[in-house]
Every structure is written in structure tokens, then in C-alpha cells.
Amino acid sequence: MSAPLRDVPDKPTLEGLEDRWAPVWEAKGIYRFDRSKNRAEIYSIDTPPPTASGSLHVGHVFSYTHTDCIARYKRMRGFEVFYPMGWDDNGLPTERRVQNYYGVRCDSSLPYDPDFVPPTEPSKDQVSISRRNFVELCLALTTEDEKTFEAMWRQLGLSVDWSQMYQTIDDHSRATSQRAFLANLARGEAYQSEAPTLWDVTYRTAVAQAELEDRERPGAYHRIGFPRVDDPSDRLYIETTRPELLAACVALVAHPDDERYKAMFGSSVRTPIFDVEVPILAHTLADPDKGSGIAMICTFGDTTDVTWWRELSLPTRPIMGWDGRIIAKTPDWIESSAGREQYAAIAGTTAFTSKERMVEALTSAGFVDREPRTITHSVKFFEKGDKPLEIVTTRQWYLRNGGRDAELRDRLVARGAEIKWHPAYMQSRYTAWVEGLVGDWLVSRQRFFGVPIPVWYGLDASGQPNYDEPIAATTDALPVDPSSATPPGFTEAQRGVAGGFIGDPDIMDTWATSSLTPQIVGGWQHDEDLWGRVFPFDLRAQAHDIIRTWLFSTVVRSHLEEDALPWTHAAISGWILDPDRKKMGKSRGNAMTPIGLLEEHGADAVRYWAASGRPGTDTAFDVGQMKVGRRLAIKILNASNFVLGLGAREGTAAVTEPLDLAMLDALATAVDAATEAFEDYNYSRALEVAEAFFWSFCDDHVELVKDRAYGTLGDEGAASAKAALATALSVQLRLFAPFLPYVTEEVWSWWQDGSVHRSQWPTAAAVRTLGAGGDVAIATAANAVLTAIRKAKSDAKLSMKETATRVEVRGTPEALDRVRQSEPDLRTAGRVGEFSYLPHDSERLEVTVSL
RNA sequence: GGGCGAUUAGCUCAGUGGUAGAGCGCUCCGCUCACACCGGAGAGGUCACUGGUUCGAACCCAGUAUCGCCCACCA
């Protein structure tokens, strides 16, 4: 039975395939998830929701293509694939984008203005607006961005089920995030603590360990003398990079074994100018080789200060405010008039200015005995910030993640070992991060656009909040914003009134919500039927830079909530690097935007480039690979056009010719190799296998059997050739379908019913049955002889259609017999007049061509 | 300082024990009736280095060097 060939263009082209097929897939629901399937039939994928602000870059295209190849493979293997897509729209990037886009800033103290219209052009002076107005702008802008993103993903051909789309800021995500937080709170996994916190002074928010990065900055060691209390004429010199914090000094510290200072432990010095008495203490963290070997402890200059402060039980003397400026009010521990005068000189200034003023004052007062020594040192920054972090004491919410609990940490490390990592060595990044945690997960942020922390605090008779007994929201009220909603048992009139309540003003870290993507998309405590069908998920796909954040935090939430892994497999993608091997810059012009690339090269070509990048490996951006991919797609069109134009169809005749059988034998081996690679999540290997076979198929097999297929050697030989060609084409289209969805669908539509993307992944067994008795060595031998004939013509600078009068083949009797089996094909393909065979001892086939 | 990865042709990279591979680029040839957005042929590599295991090492082991990433350090 031969289906009619329909709609094959004379000159097939790649142009317009995206516009033709993407709407068809959507209309026919090719990628729609069928939830009637049971867990064993379902393959569920937890995808990273890309940050909706700003723009997608080629790195996104790279890793999302990898996931899509896996999804398409699994779908063809018969799994019902659950493949949703979300947008991570809450958090700082959106706030920053809204501020710049509209020229506004959020001021929580302002009332909501229902008639507010954002300026069309951002003005230099930012307009202050209420939190609700601000959030509305955030939502409006992200909605626009997300439409653009979705269009791009569709053009790239991601086989996601768009009816499963979610936003991390939508009602459902906020409710899920708050529900999970309340569960953590009820179990004691979420708690508050007032403690020194890494603080970004620009955004005025606390930041978590996972969000830190080090940056090299110029600095200077200032050598400052502290008069000893026992003998004020004797000064102890310390070296510091932060002289502006001298007023916050609480002690000096040296190593307990340091002979220079051993005798002084227990005595004290007075801080220069401020004249505050501080003790000289011993601690092993003090490094005798650094500076003068004795350090000034301030509250707080760096994380080591925090350690010393805690372990030596030192007092807290903060002078750094939340805004990054020295606190205006002169502290009461500074008593001398000279000290209070100097403090007034730095009060309200930035760290930079106060440093200048302190150095000037110390120098003119004679406490500095040498010029500052300039250095370059690394300083902690918030990864999205642009000023060094300060450390200020604040009340924050934490979630237990093993950072302060060895038993939990060990369990989470063990969870990591349960995950099937692709590639396997990525597990060590996880393990190293979890083992290196120094504290619990700080989840509260002093920002506006995000998921509010769903608690209130009662106010006592004097109006002071009772932080020890937060009033939790009830789950039926979620999502809730405590700044506008009223807690159970209160009326709105009691807000901010003694005996009443206040809402927690903070929002949660963006990871506190995105760590719940399995719960958000999987229907947790919302659609338990769906949850039972998709959880634990089969696959988490993401890039390696967010193992410490997204991957780890997802494991934490699932471990705490379900006592289970969130997914079985983790497929980790690499980064895209510039051609010069540097990490890809942000703006590289239009040629580098995903849309520009898709329009110039076509989706299949861009996908080919992405799929060529090995799992986990950083890959250079390479337009050349896209051109190769485009060439491959065009070749598929042309070769298919040729094979189908012959009238070749599967199953129309028995495959009888040795060369045809041999080709099928080789194809079966390729199917095995591609399948094995895909089962190991090695999509790039699967592509390589399919591609290698295909080029050999076109260049050698098709060329060899072409004339026979035309019928020049009789009907039976033609029928065998055509049946084998059609089978090979069908199989290869399916091998390529996960990588090149458009061109394979186009060709499939010419002669098959339904979508290639819902067709069955080819099995080697079926190909072997058709090619039973095939011996790949026959094809290898024929190719070798054909190559020798071509070489002879090429060396003689002749056209390939010139006749070779005689071809002499020497080899073992077995080898000669193999060549004989394809002699008729070799004769027509190579335009050979006469063949002769000479038995020979050498294993190597030798061919002499006479022209 | 610790960890992970990489080092193979001019370039980008496959190849995990059995006679060195692909694509691009380069050279030469060919408008052969699927394809000039093409086809054919060719040149080009002591597989970073040093030792070891093995009949045999690009591959396994130990060490060295260089590069990248992560972490620690930050007075």
C-alpha cells in the first residue's frame, strides 16, 4: 500500500517552515499533555522559568533546546510528556527594569492612586509611587515581555504545552509559595533571627549566601596606632582597609601563639580620636602574617568580624545604616568631645566619604605613621548589585537548609547522590556547595515585587511588635498580602495601633518561589490527581551556574515537604562563550539576539548548533555550526525529495539486493547507537550518530543504487532499492525529528499521516528484520571501491561521469566476493566498463582503475 | 589554599584499551538528470608534558604545566 505523494515542491526550501508548522502543532495539540495517562506512562519535566525582564539570549536558546530534544525523544518513545513553561517575573530584575522603563520608584508609605498613569518617557527625576501602583506596573511590563518570549520559544520549536504556562508572580504561584512557607513555619523549618546580615545598600535588602560574588577592587592598607591604656605613649599599630569603621571598633585581636602580642592579651588600648577603650584578645583566626599581625574588630567590616564578635562575645557598636551611610546620631559609647566632634564630621556620609575624612583626621592627629599601601583585594558583592556589601544587624526570616545543622546537611548531600546527574561529574558541584554552607537560607527580602511573607505580628500595649509569635495566614486566604489584608481575629482599624497588629513588610527571595516549580506546575495541594501523575518529576534541566541556587533549593523544599527527591534526573547544560572563550557579553548587537539568529539561519539550524554542544560543556558561540545545520536541513529536503520522487514507499517490496540489506544493517546499528545515547541523555551523541549515517547514506548508498532505482537493472532490483530507501528515509527522519522538528515534519507530511513528532521512535529490531541477512561489510567494500574510482578520476582531473574502462580489485577471496555482490551498482555508479578480480593474501582491498 | 573540568589537525570539537576522526577553513577538480545553499579528491596531528600499568595507552594510574569554573581567603 503506497500513500500518494502530496504537495512536494519542485524545489523544496526551508523558508517559511516555522510559520507553516508552529500554528499546525498548536491547532492540533501535538504537544498537549494528556493527563489521563498514569505515572508510568508519563515523562514529566521541570523547566527553569527564565527571568522575564530584559531579554533572552543565546544561552537560553542553547540549554532550552537541549531539554526540548530530550522531550521530543521521550514523546516518540511513547511517553506522554509533561513539559510546561513558566516565567520568573518576580524579584529585583523586574523592579529595576520597571524603574528604568517608566522612571518611577516605589515608596511603600504612599497611598494607592487608582488613576495613576505612568510617564511615557522616563524623566530624570524618578516619580515616587505606591507599592500597589508599582506592582501593577511590574505586572503590565512582564506580561508584555512574556508575550515576546513565548513567540520566540514557539519559533525555536520548543515542544512545550503552552496551556500549562505559569508565572512565578501569578496568584497560583504566590499561593503555592506562601502555602509551602507556612508549612515550613508550622514544622519549625522557617524561623526569624535578628543577626548580622549581608546587606546591599543600593537595594536596601538583605541578600543570601547563594547570591554573593567576589569582585576585585582597589583598596589600601591604612596603618593606625592605638595608644595602650597601660602606657599611652606606646602605640599598637593595626592595618585596616576600612578606617571609616574605627568608631565601630570593639576589640583588637591577634593569634594566641603570636609572641609579639602574647603578653598583651587581657590588657586594652584606646581607639584613636574616639578614645574608646577596647580589649586586646586572642583568636586563632587572626593571621600573624597579615598586616601587623593584629587586627581591629568592628561591627561589622566583614564576615570574619562577625565570627570574632560571636565567638568572643563582643558588644555591638554599629555605625553603618541601611542606606549605606554612617548613622546620623552620635553613638553613646563615644564620650570624649573630640570623639563626638569627629563622629559628627562623618555622620550621614557614605563609606567612601567617611573613609576620606577619617584618614585625613587620623593623619593630621598623628595616628598614622606611614603612607597607605595600595592593594587590590576581592570584596563581596550582591551578584546583581554594584556597591560592596555592608553587614548590618536586622531581623530576617531563614529556612533551614543544613547550613547550621550537620544532620540535615548530610541528608541533603545524600539526596544529591540519589540524583542521576548528566553529566555525572556535576554532582560534585552540588556536594561542594552543600558541604560549604555556613548558615541557613535567608529568604526575606526588603523589596516590593515578589511573594509577601504571609504573617502578621501582634502589637503589645506599648505598640511593640511581638515577633516571637507571628500570626500566620490561613491557607484558604492565600495568596495574601499582609500589608493590605487583615489577620484572623482583627479588624483593619487595628493596623498599626497598640494592641492591634502590623503585617510583615518583606517579600520572599525569588528562589523561595522558584524552588517550588515542581509544586507550582504539578498541582501540589491544589490538583492532587495531577500531582500523583507527575511527581516526583523525571527531569530537571538547567545550566550549571544555578546548581547552588535553583537546583539545591528545589531539593531542600522537596526534602522538607515530601521527604523525597523532586526529580530522578538532572540534566545540566553548559554556558555559551564568546568565540574568544570568554563568557558571553550582554549586548553583542542584533546578529547575536535569538530572534536575529532564528531569522537569519532558521530554527532548525540554530537548534542544530545548540544540540551539537555536549551536555554540561561550555560551548563557543559558532555561526559556522548554524550554517552546517542549515546545510543538513537542506540536504534532508533534497534527499527526501529524490527518494520520494522515485516513488519509493515503505513495505512495497521485499528488500533483496545485498547492498540494500547491508545499508539497513548499518542503519540498525546507528539506531541502536542513537537510542543508547539518548537513554544516557547524550543528545549531542545521538545527533552525531544520525548525521554521520545520513551523509554516508547520501554520498555513498544513494549514489550507488541510483541507477538501479531508476530501473536500469530491472524491476526487481529497482523495487528492492526503493523499498530500502523509503525505509531508511522514514527511520532517519525520525532520528532527526528531536533536533530538526521543522524540516522533518515538512518531509513527513509529504508521504505520512500525522505528525512525525507523535510517530514512534525507530527500533533497530524492526530495521534488522527488514534487512535480515545484511552484511555491513558489503557496503564498506562497495564504498571503498567507489572511492578509488572517484579518486582516479579526480587525480586525472576528469568529470565523475567519465568512463573507467577497467577496474581491477585485489583482496582475499572473501573480500572479492563482497565486492562482486555490488558489482552491478558499482558499474553504473562509477561508469565502469569491466571488472576483474585477483585473489590476494593482503587483508587490505587494493583497487586499480584504468581510465 | 581546596574542589571540578579542559588540553586531540590552522579553527570548533567528537573519540574511554586494539592501525588517529568530523565539520569549518585551505588546495585541486567537476555545472554527473535530488541537491551549485552542490558534488568529488587531497594536504594537514610525535592526541600538553613526565613517569607507570599493559602484549598494546589519546583513553587507565601517579605527577607536572597551562587555561576555565566553583569554593575558601578578604584585618
Side-chain angles (χ1 to χ4, degrees):
Chain A
M1 183 180 91
S2 150
L5 194 61
R6 46 181 185 259
D7 199 28
V8 187
D10 290 342
K11 280 269 183 186
T13 168
L14 295 178
E15 274 19 271
L17 290 189
E18 292 93 338
D19 291 341
R20 179 181 309 170
W21 290 109
V24 171
W25 293 334
E26 176 63 29
K28 294 194 172 171
I30 301 297
Y31 311 126
R32 194 68 41 83
F33 174 64
D34 174 4
R35 66 179 295 165
S36 70
K37 296 285 175 24
N38 63 44
R39 184 65 193 87
E41 300 166 311
I42 287 169
Y43 187 84
S44 48
I45 303 176
D46 180 22
T47 47
T51 302
S53 315
S55 53
L56 291 172
H57 53 79
V58 290
H60 287 110
V61 170
F62 185 66
S63 55
Y64 281 81
T65 297
H66 299 163
T67 311
D68 188 59
C69 293
I70 301 287
R72 287 178 179 278
Y73 167 72
K74 290 292 179 183
R75 195 177 289 113
M76 293 175 73
R77 285 299 299 255
F79 287 100
E80 188 60 29
V81 175
F82 183 68
Y83 186 13
M85 178 65 68
W87 314 114
D88 187 11
D89 30 26
N90 72 58
L92 272 177
T94 298
E95 289 188 15
R96 184 153 55 178
R97 180 153 153 72
V98 165
Q99 284 171 6
N100 295 335
Y101 191 89
Y102 294 111
V104 296
R105 58 175 298 183
C106 180
D107 182 343
S108 302
S109 66
L110 292 175
Y112 177 61
D113 176 2
D115 302 321
F116 174 73
V117 178
T120 46
E121 287 280 312
S123 69
K124 244 180 238 171
D125 298 316
Q126 290 188 325
V127 182
S128 290
I129 60 175
S130 74
R131 172 168 163 161
R132 188 168 156 194
N133 285 118
F134 188 81
V135 168
E136 283 176 0
L137 289 183
C138 289
L139 287 169
L141 193 60
T142 52
T143 302
E144 281 308 303
D145 287 341
E146 286 156 15
K147 281 182 195 157
T148 314
F149 282 26
E150 181 180 336
M152 205 216 79
W153 284 148
R154 283 180 184 272
Q155 193 178 350
L156 182 64
L158 296 190
S159 61
V160 311
D161 178 355
W162 289 101
S163 68
Q164 307 281 343
M165 195 175 77
Y166 66 99
Q167 300 165 287
T168 58
I169 197 63
D170 67 24
D171 285 352
H172 173 61
S173 295
R174 295 206 315 282
T176 305
S177 181
Q178 291 181 330
R179 184 176 290 121
F181 177 85
L182 292 171
N184 293 131
L185 179 63
R187 291 191 299 262
E189 294 147 4
Y191 65 92
Q192 288 180 91
S193 174
E194 183 156 8
T197 311
L198 286 159
W199 186 266
D200 186 281
V201 299
T202 309
Y203 292 110
R204 298 185 195 176
T205 181
V207 300
Q209 185 186 354
E211 296 172 306
L212 304 183
E213 70 181 29
D214 290 346
R215 294 183 200 160
E216 291 292 319
R217 282 294 139 120
Y221 277 122
H222 299 271
R223 196 173 139 93
I224 300 169
F226 284 58
R228 297 189 59 196
V229 169
D230 299 343
D231 177 7
S233 65
D234 185 19
R235 287 180 178 177
L236 265 186
Y237 281 88
I238 60 104
E239 292 194 24
T240 179
T241 56
R242 304 210 57 186
E244 71 274 22
L245 294 179
L246 181 60
C249 179
V250 291
L252 299 192
V253 66
H255 194 277
D257 300 334
D258 193 327
E259 295 297 337
R260 293 169 294 180
Y261 304 107
K262 238 178 177 171
M264 300 180 198
F265 295 140
S267 70
S268 42
V269 292
R270 303 191 83 83
T271 58
I273 300 184
F274 296 113
D275 204 31
V276 175
E277 182 171 339
V278 296
I280 302 167
L281 303 172
H283 193 281
T284 50
L285 266 183
D287 183 351
D289 298 328
K290 214 167 263 178
S292 57
I294 188 163
M296 152 175 103
I297 305 175
C298 302
T299 52
F300 298 94
D302 61 37
T303 52
T304 316
D305 279 347
V306 178
T307 307
W308 281 326
W309 166 81
R310 193 173 55 234
E311 296 188 4
L312 299 171
S313 301
L314 295 166
T316 313
R317 292 174 187 156
I319 64 166
M320 183 60 71
W322 292 8
D323 54 0
R325 291 171 181 274
I326 304 296
I327 291 169
K329 184 178 175 295
T330 304
D332 52 14
W333 63 83
I334 300 173
E335 292 168 349
S336 75
S337 58
R340 296 182 74 84
E341 203 173 298
Q342 177 60 28
Y343 191 90
I346 60 170
T349 64
T350 61
F352 182 83
T353 304
S354 60
K355 178 179 292 184
E356 283 188 332
R357 291 187 187 169
M358 283 305 303
V359 169
E360 198 183 308
L362 287 163
T363 307
S364 61
F367 289 104
V368 178
D369 78 341
R370 78 164 73 130
E371 285 293 302
R373 194 156 52 89
T374 58
I375 54 160
T376 301
H377 60 157
S378 60
V379 182
K380 280 196 198 310
F381 281 73
F382 173 39
E383 61 188 359
K384 296 186 176 74
D386 45 29
K387 281 189 176 172
L389 291 173
E390 294 291 349
I391 296 173
V392 300
T393 299
T394 51
R395 171 174 297 278
Q396 301 287 347
W397 280 97
Y398 294 84
L399 209 50
R400 296 191 198 283
N401 70 349
R404 301 178 62 179
D405 175 348
E407 196 187 329
L408 177 56
R409 181 167 56 230
D410 290 347
R411 284 218 209 99
L412 289 168
V413 168
R415 284 286 183 215
E418 289 173 44
I419 299 170
K420 295 189 179 95
W421 297 83
H422 308 282
Y425 64 77
M426 287 295 175
Q427 189 196 331
S428 63
R429 296 207 183 196
Y430 173 95
T431 306
W433 175 256
V434 180
E435 288 179 343
L437 288 170
V438 295
D440 279 331
W441 175 10
L442 196 167
V443 292
S444 46
R445 295 291 183 278
Q446 290 66 54
R447 300 300 305 174
F448 321 106
F449 190 57
V451 180
I453 291 176
V455 301
W456 297 262
Y457 307 103
L459 297 176
D460 65 15
S462 62
Q464 289 303 304
N466 177 9
Y467 290 114
D468 293 337
E469 290 170 31
I471 306 162
T474 52
T475 50
D476 59 346
L478 303 180
V480 71
D481 182 352
S483 72
S484 56
T486 314
F490 289 86
T491 64
E492 187 56 28
Q494 290 175 279
R495 184 184 294 276
V497 180
F501 70 92
I502 54 164
D504 191 303
D506 291 348
I507 61 169
M508 287 189 246
D509 172 14
T510 189
W511 300 111
T513 300
S514 55
S515 60
L516 296 163
T517 47
Q519 286 81 356
I520 290 169
V521 297
W524 175 71
Q525 294 204 353
H526 163 72
D527 182 347
E528 290 298 325
D529 174 74
L530 178 63
W531 187 241
R533 293 172 196 274
V534 300
F535 187 90
F537 282 57
D538 291 283
L539 175 66
R540 155 60 65 88
Q542 59 165 87
H544 58 59
D545 58 320
I546 51 175
I547 289 175
R548 67 179 188 173
T549 48
W550 193 43
L551 192 146
F552 174 57
S553 61
T554 308
V555 171
V556 169
R557 300 310 280 280
S558 180
H559 176 79
L560 296 177
E561 195 62 50
E562 306 288 332
D563 192 20
L565 274 180
W567 2 258
T568 313
H569 297 269
I572 308 297
S573 293
W575 272 96
I576 293 309
L577 307 176
D578 272 346
D580 62 2
R581 307 294 309 172
K582 294 284 191 296
K583 196 167 156 182
M584 199 81 150
K586 275 189 179 170
S587 58
R588 305 276 306 180
N590 276 341
M592 296 292 287
T593 67
I595 291 289
L597 292 169
L598 287 172
E599 280 170 1
E600 185 179 348
H601 305 283
D604 283 343
V606 174
R607 291 174 60 102
Y608 173 89
W609 159 74
S612 304
R614 253 194 324 165
T617 304
D618 291 346
T619 302
F621 177 79
D622 186 0
V623 172
Q625 278 297 99
M626 295 179 198
K627 291 182 174 159
V628 173
R630 185 175 175 82
R631 201 168 68 107
L632 173 63
I634 291 170
K635 191 77 172 180
I636 288 172
L637 277 183
N638 287 322
S640 305
N641 195 32
F642 170 69
V643 167
L644 296 173
L646 290 168
R649 292 298 181 280
E650 289 171 272
T652 47
V655 179
T656 52
E657 291 293 319
L659 194 58
D660 298 334
L661 295 168
M663 182 273 290
L664 291 176
D665 187 44
L667 178 58
T669 304
V671 170
D672 268 338
T675 306
E676 191 185 336
F678 254 131
E679 285 299 311
D680 195 30
Y681 289 80
N682 194 342
Y683 48 82
S684 61
R685 179 86 184 134
L687 171 59
E688 192 186 324
V689 166
E691 194 186 4
F693 182 87
F694 176 68
W695 284 110
S696 165
F697 171 78
C698 289
D699 295 343
D700 299 326
H701 183 77
V702 170
E703 293 301 326
L704 279 166
V705 306
K706 191 184 273 182
D707 281 300
R708 175 157 55 85
Y710 282 139
T712 53
L713 297 175
D715 290 345
E716 196 184 325
S720 172
K722 289 195 277 190
L725 287 171
T727 295
L729 179 64
S730 164
V731 168
Q732 290 180 91
L733 286 175
R734 285 176 283 155
L735 290 180
F736 281 125
F739 307 103
L740 312 173
Y742 288 107
V743 73
T744 52
E745 185 76 321
E746 169 71 11
V747 172
W748 195 256
S749 76
W750 294 344
W751 62 313
Q752 304 275 5
D753 292 321
S755 170
V756 70
H757 303 300
R758 283 282 182 177
S759 71
Q760 200 179 64
W761 182 256
T763 64
V767 178
R768 284 211 173 86
T769 303
L770 274 172
D775 178 2
V776 69
I778 291 170
T780 308
N783 294 344
V785 174
L786 180 63
T787 297
I789 296 167
R790 285 166 171 168
K791 178 167 165 55
K793 293 179 184 176
S794 187
D795 287 347
K797 299 192 188 297
L798 291 173
S799 161
M800 291 299 139
K801 70 178 178 184
E802 291 293 329
T803 302
T805 54
R806 179 188 161 86
V807 171
E808 186 178 286
V809 187
R810 291 179 301 281
T812 61
E814 296 76 25
L816 295 182
D817 185 55
R818 285 190 208 108
V819 175
R820 274 198 194 89
Q821 299 198 50
S822 56
E823 188 190 305
D825 290 331
L826 280 167
R827 197 184 288 278
T828 54
R831 321 261 167 153
V832 179
E834 181 191 351
F835 266 90
S836 68
Y837 299 92
L838 289 177
H840 197 272
D841 286 343
S842 168
E843 284 296 324
R844 200 184 196 85
L845 205 59
E846 290 175 20
V847 183
T848 308
V849 179
S850 311
L851 295 169

